Amino acid sequence: MSGTKTFSMPLGPVHVALEEPVYFNLTVEGEIVRKTHLTSGHVHRGMEALAMRRNIFQNATLVERVCSLCSNSHSFTYAMVVENALCMHIPERARYLRVIAEETKRIASHLFNTAIQAHIIGFHSLFMHVMEVRELMQDMKETVYGNRMNIAANCVGGAKQDINLKKQEYILKQLELIEPQIREIQDIYANDPMVHTRTYGLGLLPVDDAIALGVVGPVARGSGITDDCRKDSPYAAYGDLDFNVITETGCCAWSRVQVRLRECYESLSLIRQCIDRMPEGDIRAPLGKLTVNSAVARTEAPRGEVFYFIRTNGTDVPERLKWRVPSYMNWEALSVMMKDCNVADVALITNSIDPCVSCTER
Amino acid sequence: MSNLLNKLSVRSPWLFRINAGSCNGCDVELATTALIPRFDVERFGCRYCGSPRHADVVLITGPVTLKMRDKVLKLWDEIPNPKVTVAVGICPISGGVFRDSYSLAEPLDHLIPVDVNVPGCPPRPQAILEGVVLAKKIWMRKLGIEEG
Amino acid sequence: MAGFLKVLLRNVLQGPSTDPYPLGPTFSPDSIRGKVVVDPTMCIGCGMCVHVCTAGAINIQHNENGHVITIYRNSCCLCANCHLYCPTGAITLTDDWHSAHEQAVKYQQIEQQHIDYEPCLGCGTPVRVMPLALVSKLYAGKPDVDPEHVRHLCPRCRQMEDAVRTYNLQHPEAPASGNDEA
């Protein structure tokens, strides 16, 4: 390309490769992307305004619909922030139940992202295989909680439903089935030449940039930053459980997927530990006193740190409910990752941060 | 059963999916229904297509946000007749949990004629399959092939 | 590549994993959250479900002879808040997930129960007859109370009877000073 000509290439908002409506305007020079411009707001549903019109019980359901892939993290953090504002202490058993729900969703979410990566690479048989493995998790959610996506495990004060012995046995059985499959999948993603050549070294986010941009979750951990709310400020039962924070130092799309898949093992072990150590007892605490108060809470969602703020005014309708989602931080990193990449890599790099448009735009 | 099979194998409607501001739940379930062997919507001759101009059945998820409204209408207009519109999830049907928000347009059936509703939050893939089979029946009725 | 070839071969040997549905049976666990139903013998029309329903799917209409509870399936987000917070356990989620329907029957996708009131045995005003299970629970420690009689009383007459019983008063018309403790 001697006479450098740039073209602008629109992508979206409704496109077969996009799960969610976003409008990309790429400025390309031949095959190389020189500039990306993003128009968002298609999934804006005015949820923060809605949350200020609904009461605290309704909001537990509303925030679960921020995004269905990390739905449990939202209702979890929301329940925590309300409990902080109302000075409530939840029963010990509920803490463990919450961890089980959260880790179940985490495995399903990570497997979904991993599968989509194979889909974008064009490795459809691998995509289908990972999705079939994910179905084991989906069946587990449906059998234990009653829904495949919005599991409604949390309510203000504890957990909505108990997991009895029969269900515990079922969970352990499903985990037994899924563990070797995930190990196999991790090996394929790590060593398969097709996946490796396509993703290794792609979408580089050096450590300095990662720190400067404040990325969170597997994107940060894929760049070698040890950042995990579950360890940094233990909540629910995480303080009593043993697990490792997974990091990779490759700073690329391959590393992020490896972080996600290796986190699945930690999640499997966390669920097993919870079932093992879960004490008997109540699963819900009575509602605390509604006063004028404000509180914050943060948890580690599959995509990174979710942060909630609430201000109550003595009624059961919050005066302000505000949340920050991990994708908001990670979106910015795309400009670093996509610098001078090929057009064919745009979708792959975007997927590597596990973007959630509906979280970010809510 | 063989009668049902006969009915199902007459023609192959192609599916097109529009995300009108959904929370991903229904979209992920649609992807699961369409793309993985477990639910395999291709048994009914259906497959996803990338262009609205190839589509026969359109599946719409999400509560139709103001920003997506015109795009949904434009895309829907590009789909050749006869087409069947399926509203997946409670959001396009009634607004669902986002009901009364300032940033939503109207429920889908105020904007375009809807043929099939599949409520649920999200509906499970089997329910979506039921909806697709029903949509196909309506599509064939519209084509005048068979009385559903 | 060998890793995935192994998986492929195993999957081929395993045979198709396709769920035969809708041409055959499918996996559907009992605990699935499906259509919401109301037990008309238990619903007391308190409105707690309306208060906690995020999607605004529940409506309760009161009139002088009873109340009507309607749950719109096309609005219900299956979060089970109503089931969780219902004080009498009148609302349950069934495992009926078959929800696809044609547009023509959109507004018939409802669960509706009419709960008729009966005259109070004390004063005759129409009153919601209390569910027997609820009365038995409320008066569990009081064997001298006839649940069948008490459940047909309006709250005021019930308070009167409670006061009479508690303080051994002679007439139900006696001053209702013990109301608060009743």
Side-chain angles (χ1 to χ4, degrees), chain A residues 124-133 135, chain B residues 31-44 125 129, chain C residues 8 11 15-21:
Chain A
H124 280 259
S125 36
L126 181 58
F127 161 72
M128 284 182 190
H129 178 69
V130 180
M131 286 297 272
E132 286 278 303
V133 173
E135 282 300 306
Chain B
T32 313
T33 314
L35 299 173
I36 75 163
R38 184 174 177 196
F39 301 110
D40 197 14
V41 81
E42 294 182 12
R43 285 178 293 160
F44 309 111
L129 275 178
Chain C
L8 272 184
N11 285 351
S17 64
T18 308
D19 193 327
Y21 195 80

Side-chain angles (χ1 to χ4, degrees), chain C:
Chain C
M1 202 64 208
F4 192 65
L5 280 179
K6 209 171 73 191
V7 174
L8 272 184
L9 189 68
R10 198 183 57 225
N11 285 351
V12 166
L13 290 177
Q14 264 177 6
S17 64
T18 308
D19 193 327
Y21 195 80
L23 308 173
T26 185
F27 167 80
S28 76
D30 300 333
S31 52
I32 201 162
R33 293 200 304 269
K35 189 177 189 236
V36 181
V37 292
V38 180
D39 180 357
T41 63
M42 291 304 279
C43 175
I44 55 172
C46 65
M48 194 59 194
C49 47
V50 181
H51 187 67
V52 298
C53 180
T54 317
I58 310 178
N59 183 18
I60 298 181
Q61 286 279 327
H62 287 275
N63 55 41
E64 63 266 33
N65 290 318
H67 68 261
V68 184
I69 177 165
T70 314
I71 300 178
Y72 297 89
R73 197 181 189 184
N74 277 331
S75 292
C76 171
C77 66
L78 308 171
C79 64
N81 257 2
C82 46
H83 169 66
L84 181 69
Y85 291 105
C86 179
T88 63
I91 299 186
T92 41
L93 278 80
T94 61
D95 58 358
D96 173 17
W97 49 267
H98 303 274
S99 59
H101 59 270
E102 290 194 34
Q103 176 71 9
V105 293
K106 177 178 175 184
Y107 296 102
Q108 291 158 28
Q109 305 294 311
I110 54 171
E111 158 76 10
Q112 193 166 53
Q113 295 292 347
H114 296 259
I115 291 109
D116 292 326
Y117 292 175
E118 285 175 30
C120 165
L121 289 180
C123 59
T125 50
V127 59
R128 167 75 174 103
V129 178
M130 263 171 50
L132 195 60
L134 207 64
V135 177
S136 316
K137 213 163 108 188
L138 273 176
Y139 291 93
K142 294 179 179 162
D144 54 325
V145 178
D146 175 18
E148 198 50 49
H149 173 72
V150 169
R151 66 192 280 252
H152 283 89
L153 292 177
C154 71
R156 197 177 153 71
C157 292
R158 204 162 60 234
Q159 282 179 338
M160 286 289 206
E161 290 225 340
D162 281 352
V164 167
R165 196 172 42 246
T166 313
Y167 298 103
N168 286 320
L169 302 175
Q170 292 306 307
H171 303 287
E173 290 80 17
S177 58
N179 269 2
D180 294 342
E181 281 85 8

Side-chain angles (χ1 to χ4, degrees), chain A residues 29-51:
Chain A
E29 188 185 308
E31 275 291 302
I32 311 289
V33 177
R34 291 294 179 210
K35 218 165 90 185
T36 40
H37 184 257
L38 186 102
T39 312
S40 57
H42 298 91
V43 200
H44 178 63
R45 290 150 294 172
M47 291 189 78
E48 287 187 5
L50 278 177

Side-chain angles (χ1 to χ4, degrees), chain A residues 299-327:
Chain A
T299 64
E300 184 76 16
R303 287 161 184 72
E305 180 194 307
V306 174
F307 187 92
Y308 267 69
F309 165 79
I310 194 171
R311 190 163 69 229
T312 55
N313 56 3
T315 68
D316 66 353
V317 180
E319 195 170 273
R320 183 79 173 97
L321 184 65
K322 164 85 189 155
W323 56 96
R324 195 194 74 177
V325 298
S327 297

Side-chain angles (χ1 to χ4, degrees), chain A residues 96-108 137 140 145 163 167-168 171-172 175 178 238 241-243 264-278:
Chain A
Y96 285 87
L97 288 173
R98 283 185 174 179
V99 174
I100 295 178
E102 178 76 359
E103 297 305 320
T104 309
K105 280 295 283 186
R106 191 186 309 276
I107 298 174
M137 273 338 261
M140 184 173 130
Y145 299 101
I163 298 178
K167 282 183 178 170
Q168 290 176 17
I171 292 176
L172 291 175
L175 296 189
I178 203 168
Y238 285 112
L241 301 167
D242 307 317
F243 65 100
C264 290
Y265 307 150
E266 300 299 320
S267 299
L268 290 168
S269 127
L270 279 169
I271 299 174
R272 288 201 181 103
Q273 288 176 40
C274 282
I275 289 178
D276 195 33
R277 300 182 192 175
M278 192 159 57

